[in-house]
Amino acid sequence: LQMLLWFVALQLVLAYYSGALGKNQAVMLRSDSLSVAKACESPTTKWHLMKSADQHLGVIKLNTEAWGILLGHATGFAAKNACSSLQQAVPRNFFFVALTPLLFFGIIILV
């Protein structure tokens, strides 16, 4: 359950910072800069607006990467904890001991 909650948090935070979900300020500023630059006829102003859009893209990438790494590690550690907790709960015979790591590997690959 803990792994699932961290995974959902990871997906929601990355969706927010990338602009897929909600109204992130950096994404909105980049979108505004691009739309104004598209309509602008002055080459100098257009260049400044495109530079501004690139700077906002840098902020978007930085936030997405930082939060992705942080929450990705938390999700991975929660997955490791879930697998180790379940491994301690299985009966101690050869079949279950051999099947448990394969089962967890399959579950993690599916998620």
Side-chain angles (χ1 to χ4, degrees), residues 4-108:
L4 182 64
L5 292 175
W6 279 109
F7 184 74
V8 169
L10 169 70
Q11 296 301 314
L12 290 175
V13 168
L14 290 181
Y16 172 73
Y17 279 112
S18 68
L21 181 69
K23 294 181 179 181
N24 185 353
Q25 182 181 5
V27 174
M28 289 175 36
L29 289 173
R30 181 174 189 270
S31 177
D32 291 345
S33 294
L34 288 174
S35 63
V36 171
K38 196 174 193 180
C40 184
E41 300 203 9
S42 168
T44 307
T45 307
K46 190 171 193 168
W47 180 81
H48 285 293
L49 288 169
M50 293 301 285
K51 187 175 178 182
S52 173
D54 286 343
Q55 288 173 345
H56 292 303
L57 180 62
V59 170
I60 294 167
K61 285 182 179 180
L62 182 68
N63 284 335
T64 304
E65 185 176 343
W67 282 104
I69 289 171
L70 179 68
L71 292 175
H73 277 83
T75 303
F77 292 133
K80 182 179 176 187
N81 183 37
C83 292
S84 65
S85 296
L86 288 175
Q87 192 171 19
Q88 293 298 318
V90 298
R92 299 284 182 236
N93 66 31
F94 180 75
F95 177 73
F96 285 114
V97 170
L99 186 64
T100 303
L102 298 173
L103 177 69
F104 294 143
F105 180 74
I107 290 172
I108 290 174

